Amino acid sequence: MRILLIEDDEALGQALLEALGDAGYVAEWVRRGDDAAEMALDAAYDLALLDLGLPRMDGIEVLRHIRQRRDAYLPVIIITARDRPAHRIAGLDAGADDYVVKPFDPDELIARIRSQLRRRDGRGSNIISVRAVDLDLAGATVRLNGEPVAMSARELKVLTLLMRRAGRFVSKEDVNAAIYDDSADIESNTVEVAVSVIRRKLGRDFIVTARGLGYTVPK
Ligand code: CA
């Protein structure tokens, strides 16, 4: 299990890194909010511990970024000195799974990590299967008839959206929105290009286009 430790306090970060290691977890420590927001998108992480007062980007912003941008669900436990109910509410509303106030007992934190990982496993498989294609959201991998198929990040986003809504049409605008955070510099044929590459890799009929309706992955 890999844990992303997001904490700018040197002493606490060091102590947590050791406690996580002792508990058998592989932990990577990042101190800046903006770096954390990028690293957390890596599907290899199973859980994140998130401080709120961080340089460059506040922890709440980091959390919103993760919830908007990451396909596979990442359990996030906030670790913070902000102990007012309004702070807890803001953290939970932004998508935190748990909220632990400093100072805390490292053993209790480890127990809460175990609990979150159990719950995540209980959410069931992270694999979406449609016909001969298996998409593993956690590992961000695609298999066709059991054989791995390489996909770019953009192709994966398009494929994930269409497979999640398999059997229903998705408009080109919605596919575009899934690729980009905002409308900046969208090239008009980006979606078409991604869809055509996916078809080449997974078979022509895997994605069906209908004029005026958009795209669908038939079940
Ligand atoms: Ca801090």
Side-chain angles (χ1 to χ4, degrees):
M1 288 290 175
R2 284 179 66 185
I3 294 181
L4 184 61
L5 170 61
I6 307 166
E7 170 62 68
D8 65 323
D9 184 280
E10 285 296 322
L12 181 59
Q14 199 60 52
L16 285 176
L17 203 61
E18 280 171 29
L20 291 167
D22 289 348
Y25 298 113
V26 178
E28 276 168 62
W29 179 12
V30 56
R31 295 161 177 82
R32 269 171 46 179
D34 53 348
D35 292 338
E38 284 310 306
M39 285 177 72
L41 300 183
D42 185 338
Y45 295 111
D46 298 291
L47 182 144
L49 297 175
L50 175 65
D51 181 26
L52 292 184
L54 293 167
R56 302 293 182 105
M57 190 190 270
D58 186 79
I60 295 288
E61 280 303 305
V62 175
L63 180 52
R64 289 206 186 100
H65 184 89
I66 293 170
R67 289 293 176 250
Q68 279 170 11
R69 293 276 301 275
R70 189 175 146 124
D71 289 327
Y73 194 79
L74 179 72
V76 174
I77 301 177
I78 288 178
I79 46 172
T80 182
R82 298 179 191 170
D83 61 352
R84 300 211 329 252
H87 293 142
R88 287 176 184 268
I89 291 165
L92 296 169
D93 278 352
D97 297 280
D98 201 355
Y99 194 103
V100 181
V101 174
K102 298 171 184 172
F104 49 78
D105 182 316
D107 288 340
E108 186 193 339
L109 182 68
I110 299 292
R112 285 172 183 263
I113 290 171
R114 275 200 303 271
S115 158
Q116 287 303 326
L117 291 174
R118 269 199 310 272
R119 221 190 276 183
R120 183 200 61 165
D121 293 341
R123 283 190 189 103
S125 163
N126 264 327
I127 296 176
I128 306 175
S129 299
V130 178
R131 290 178 275 152
V133 177
D134 302 313
L135 169 63
D136 181 344
L137 296 172
T141 54
V142 178
R143 286 173 184 273
L144 173 62
N145 294 314
E147 296 295 320
V149 180
M151 292 271 170
S152 73
R154 181 167 292 173
E155 290 152 25
L156 262 179
K157 279 189 177 174
V158 173
L159 187 64
T160 301
L161 176 64
L162 294 178
M163 286 183 71
R164 274 192 169 141
R165 300 195 201 165
R168 288 174 286 165
F169 275 95
V170 181
S171 72
K172 187 180 156 189
E173 290 71 29
D174 284 353
V175 180
N176 244 327
I179 299 179
Y180 298 98
D181 292 333
D182 48 46
S183 55
D185 296 332
I186 293 179
E187 289 171 37
S188 61
N189 66 345
T190 306
V191 174
E192 282 93 337
V193 172
V195 166
S196 110
V197 176
I198 295 169
R199 280 182 171 143
R200 202 163 66 229
K201 292 175 177 176
L202 300 181
R204 265 220 68 74
D205 302 335
F206 193 70
I207 298 175
V208 171
T209 312
R211 193 182 289 273
L213 290 174
Y215 303 96
T216 187
V217 166
K219 280 184 181 172

